[in-house]
Amino acid sequence: MALGEFELIRRYFERPRARADVVLGIGDDAALLDVPAGRNLVVAVDTLVAGRHFLKSAPPRSIGHRALAVNLSDLAAMGATPAWATLSLTMPGVDEAWLAEFAAGFFSLAEGHRVALVGGDTTAGPLTISVQVLGTAPQGQALRRSGARVGDLLLVTGTLGDAAAGLEFLRGTAAQSPAAQWLISRHEYPTPRIELGLAMRPYASGAMDLSDGLVGDLEKLVAASGVCAVVDIDRLPISPALLAQVGASRARELALAGGDDYELLLSVPPARLEALRAAAGIVAVNLTEIGHICAGVGVTWSMNGAEYSPVSRGYEHFSSA
Amino acid sequence: MALGEFELIRRYFERPRARADVVLGIGDDAALLDVPAGRNLVVAVDTLVAGRHFLKSAPPRSIGHRALAVNLSDLAAMGATPAWATLSLTMPGVDEAWLAEFAAGFFSLAEGHRVALVGGDTTAGPLTISVQVLGTAPQGQALRRSGARVGDLLLVTGTLGDAAAGLEFLRGTAAQSPAAQWLISRHEYPTPRIELGLAMRPYASGAMDLSDGLVGDLEKLVAASGVCAVVDIDRLPISPALLAQVGASRARELALAGGDDYELLLSVPPARLEALRAAAGIVAVNLTEIGHICAGVGVTWSMNGAEYSPVSRGYEHFSSA
C-alpha cells in the first residue's frame, strides 16, 4: 500500500525542533521564523535534476547531501550563517529505502550546520530536488561578487577539479583505487565552506562559490565587479589524488573548468591577506593565492609565464555544446 | 543558437528593483533582504509538475500564474503579507515564446501583490516549477491550522469546485460555453486570497487554504486543532456557472473533493463573525458559513439534515488510487 504525502513527510522529514527561532515548522500552510534584528536575510535556491546534476545511479544519501550542500555553498560565499531550509522533492514513486537514505544525507549535513528543515512538498514526477536555504548575515556585511577591487589578490579554498574527476571515475568501469574513491567522495559529498565564509567576511572584498568551474565563474566575478583578473594557472591548488590519477595536464583542465567544486573564490586587499590567512587557519581550510585583480575587463590566464587560453568556458545548462 | 542560462535569467526574469527591502536581488550567489523588525518571516514552497499539476497543453501564462498563486494562497491562509519569491524552473529546452508567456503570467500576479523575484535557477530537465514565497506577519499573529476552537463557526471564501470542473472542460473536446470558459479560468488563473487573509487575521481563530479539496483539507484542520467539525453540504458555495454546467449533484462532489480551489477555510468565534464579515466586505470577497467546530475528532457531513459520506477524500500525490 502506498503512503500518503502527509504521512511521507512526517515519517522522513519531520525532526524535533532544533532551533528556538522556528516559531512554526513543517505541517501548516507556511513556516513562521524569527529573523534576528540587525541582520539581513540571505536566500539561495538550487535545483538538482537526475541525470544532469547527478548520475541516475547516484547513492540517495549523496543526493540528499548534495541538494543541501550546493545551497549552503552559496550562503558560504556571502559569509552568511545558515539557519533554515525548505525542500521540494519530486520523485517517480515512494521508495522508502531511497527516502531513508536521502533523508540521512540531507539531515546529516543540516544538523552539522544547525539548519532546520521548516517546509517543503513532495510530488510524483521525474526525480528533481529543489532546496532553498535561508540564513542571515550582519546588516550590510554580506560579501558579493561585485566587491573585487583593482589590486586585490585572488584566492581559492581547498583544491579544484577533484569532483569533476570523481564523476569521471563514477562513469567508468575500472576498479577504483583509494585515490579515485577519494575523488568520488569529493563529487558525492562536497563540503560547503560555511566556516571559512564566516571567517573571511571581515577581510575579503568579494566572493563567490565555484560551481560551474573557475573559468566561467571568475568571468562572472570580474564582470560583476567591473574589473579584470590575471590568474597564474601554475598556482591552481591540485590535490595529490587528482595529480596521481589523471596527470598534470588533465588535472589542470579539470581545475579550470570541471565544475562542482563548491570551493570559494575570494578577492582580498593585500593589506588584509595575513589576517585572512590567520582566520582561515583557525577553521583549518587551505587558501591558495592564484592571481590578482586588475583594471579592465575579462580574465588573462598565464602558464609558465606565457598567456594561455582555456579550452572550455565552464558549464552552462542550455548552451549548444 | 541556444541561450546560456545566465542570459536567459537576465532576459526574462530580471525586473527593475520593485522594493526598497531587496538589498541584493538576482545575480549573486544569494539574495539579501531586509525583514522588518517586529514581524515573523513566513515561508511557503510548492512545486508544479507538468502532466500532474497542469496539463501538458496548458498555456505557459497560466503555468507562470499558478506557480506563484498556489504559494501566495499559502501565505494568504496565514494572514501574511507577501514580499519576495524565488523560482526554480526546470524545462526541457529553451523556448523563448514559452518563457515570455510564462514570465508574463508570473510577473503579472507578482506585481499585483508587490512581490519581487529575488533569486532562482533554470535547469534543463522535465518541466517542473518550484516557487518559494517569503512574506511577513506581525510577530505572533499569523493564523494557523491549529487555532480552531469548539463553538467556532466554519467559513469558506468564494465558491468551491469551479477549478476542478474547469480542468474537466479543458480535457474535453466539446465547444466551450462562456460558463465553461469561466470555470476554465478558475483553474488556470486562481485568485490567491491575500487581501482577505490580511482582513480576516484579527478575527479568525484558524485558517488554511483549500488546495486538495474541502474533504481532505478540513480533516487536516480539525486534526491540527484537536477538534471535530460539522458541515452542512447544502450550504457549500456553488457558482451559478458550475451549477449550470454540471448540475447540483456533480457540483457538490467537485466542491467537496475537486481540489485546486485556492479559497480559504476559516474558523471564527461567533462573537467576531460580524466584524469578520465587515472586513471581508471591504475587500469584496464572499464568505459563506458552512458549519461549526465541535468537541471530538473527525468531520460529520450532513445533507438535507441527514448524515452524508463523501465518496472521495481529496487528493494525495502518492496514494494508491
Side-chain angles (χ1 to χ4, degrees):
Chain A
M1 191 185 127
L3 273 174
E5 177 181 9
F6 313 104
E7 195 184 337
L8 251 186
I9 292 170
R10 262 193 301 274
R11 185 170 306 179
Y12 293 102
F13 297 112
E14 279 193 22
R15 300 279 164 131
R17 195 171 70 154
R19 301 178 59 99
D21 55 16
V22 179
V23 180
L24 181 66
I26 289 176
D28 212 301
D29 288 303
L32 297 173
L33 307 170
D34 271 333
V35 179
R39 294 179 75 88
N40 285 130
L41 183 67
V42 187
V43 180
V45 59
D46 251 316
T47 301
L48 303 187
V49 178
R52 179 155 290 266
H53 298 96
F54 55 87
L55 299 178
K56 292 195 173 168
S57 60
R61 185 180 290 254
S62 155
I63 301 170
H65 175 101
R66 290 186 82 230
L68 180 59
V70 301
N71 282 286
L72 289 178
S73 179
D74 284 324
L75 260 57
M78 312 294 287
T81 306
W84 314 291
T86 63
L87 166 67
S88 281
L89 178 56
T90 303
M91 54 191 174
V94 174
D95 174 339
E96 294 202 51
W98 190 96
L99 272 169
E101 281 294 296
F102 176 90
F106 185 95
F107 282 108
S108 168
L109 183 61
E111 285 158 11
H113 292 286
R114 297 198 55 241
V115 172
L117 183 67
V118 297
D121 66 344
T122 51
T123 311
L127 185 59
T128 306
I129 304 114
S130 188
V131 170
Q132 174 152 359
V133 171
L134 303 169
T136 65
Q139 201 110 33
Q141 291 177 40
L143 291 172
R144 305 174 182 205
R145 296 181 181 183
S146 57
R149 295 291 172 262
V150 176
D152 286 353
L153 304 172
L154 262 182
L155 295 96
V156 294
T157 61
T159 53
L160 304 182
D162 300 326
L167 182 58
E168 291 185 354
F169 283 108
L170 277 174
R171 286 187 169 128
T173 53
Q176 284 149 4
S177 67
Q181 286 170 15
W182 182 82
L183 295 170
I184 287 171
S185 78
R186 290 273 287 162
H187 169 78
E188 292 187 333
Y189 298 94
T191 305
R193 298 297 187 189
I194 290 291
E195 295 81 3
L196 189 278
L198 294 171
M200 78 176 174
R201 198 178 57 216
Y203 312 110
S205 55
M208 70 182 294
D209 84 324
L210 292 172
S211 53
D212 294 336
L214 179 63
V215 172
D217 286 336
L218 178 53
E219 282 184 5
K220 289 170 217 159
L221 184 130
V222 299
S225 295
V227 297
C228 61
V230 177
V231 176
D232 183 353
I233 292 175
D234 301 308
R235 300 172 79 169
L236 297 184
I238 307 286
S239 68
L242 183 62
L243 193 62
Q245 289 291 311
V246 306
S249 166
R250 181 75 183 134
R252 190 165 54 232
E253 283 173 35
L254 293 172
L256 282 169
D260 283 342
D261 290 312
Y262 301 107
E263 297 291 352
L264 298 184
L265 173 66
L266 332 177
S267 61
V268 59
R272 296 197 215 140
L273 180 62
E274 198 177 335
L276 174 66
R277 286 203 177 281
I282 290 167
V283 297
V285 174
N286 280 335
L287 273 183
T288 305
E289 190 185 327
I290 62 169
H292 65 274
I293 299 294
C294 50
V297 295
V299 180
T300 304
W301 304 89
S302 75
M303 193 164 62
N304 299 323
E307 200 165 321
Y308 176 91
S309 281
V311 179
S312 165
R313 291 171 36 84
Y315 190 72
E316 289 213 7
H317 293 294
F318 292 110
S319 285
S320 40
Chain B
M1 191 184 125
L3 274 175
E5 178 181 9
F6 312 106
E7 196 185 333
L8 251 187
I9 292 170
R10 263 193 302 274
R11 186 171 305 178
Y12 293 103
F13 297 112
E14 278 192 25
R15 301 279 164 131
R17 194 171 71 156
R19 301 178 59 100
D21 55 16
V22 179
V23 180
L24 181 66
I26 289 176
D28 212 301
D29 287 303
L32 297 173
L33 306 169
D34 271 335
V35 179
R39 294 180 76 89
N40 285 130
L41 182 67
V42 187
V43 181
V45 59
D46 252 315
T47 301
L48 303 187
V49 178
R52 180 155 291 267
H53 298 96
F54 55 88
L55 298 179
K56 290 194 173 167
S57 60
R61 184 179 291 253
S62 154
I63 302 170
H65 175 100
R66 290 185 83 229
L68 180 59
V70 301
N71 283 285
L72 289 178
S73 179
D74 284 325
L75 260 57
M78 312 295 286
T81 306
W84 315 290
T86 63
L87 167 66
S88 282
L89 178 55
T90 303
M91 54 191 173
V94 174
D95 175 338
E96 294 203 51
W98 190 96
L99 273 170
E101 281 293 296
F102 176 90
F106 185 94
F107 283 108
S108 168
L109 184 61
E111 285 159 12
H113 292 285
R114 296 198 57 240
V115 172
L117 183 67
V118 298
D121 66 345
T122 51
T123 312
L127 185 60
T128 307
I129 303 115
S130 188
V131 170
Q132 175 152 2
V133 171
L134 304 169
T136 65
Q139 201 110 35
Q141 291 178 40
L143 291 172
R144 306 176 182 203
R145 297 180 180 182
S146 56
R149 294 294 171 261
V150 176
D152 286 352
L153 304 172
L154 263 181
L155 295 96
V156 293
T157 61
T159 53
L160 303 182
D162 301 326
L167 182 59
E168 291 184 353
F169 282 109
L170 277 173
R171 288 188 169 127
T173 52
Q176 284 150 3
S177 67
Q181 284 169 17
W182 182 82
L183 295 170
I184 287 171
S185 78
R186 291 272 289 163
H187 170 78
E188 292 186 334
Y189 298 95
T191 305
R193 299 296 187 189
I194 291 291
E195 294 81 4
L196 190 277
L198 294 171
M200 77 176 175
R201 197 177 60 215
Y203 311 111
S205 55
M208 70 182 295
D209 84 323
L210 293 171
S211 53
D212 294 337
L214 179 64
V215 172
D217 286 336
L218 178 53
E219 281 185 5
K220 290 169 216 158
L221 185 131
V222 299
S225 295
V227 296
C228 61
V230 178
V231 176
D232 183 352
I233 291 174
D234 301 307
R235 300 173 78 170
L236 297 184
I238 307 288
S239 67
L242 182 61
L243 194 62
Q245 288 291 310
V246 306
S249 166
R250 181 72 182 135
R252 190 165 54 231
E253 282 174 36
L254 293 172
L256 282 169
D260 284 340
D261 291 313
Y262 302 108
E263 298 291 351
L264 300 183
L265 173 66
L266 331 178
S267 61
V268 59
R272 295 198 216 139
L273 180 61
E274 198 176 338
L276 174 66
R277 285 202 177 279
I282 290 168
V283 299
V285 174
N286 280 335
L287 274 182
T288 304
E289 190 184 326
I290 62 169
H292 66 273
I293 299 294
C294 50
V297 294
V299 180
T300 304
W301 305 88
S302 74
M303 192 163 63
N304 298 325
E307 199 164 326
Y308 176 92
S309 280
V311 180
S312 166
R313 291 171 36 83
Y315 191 73
E316 288 213 8
H317 293 294
F318 292 109
S319 284
S320 39

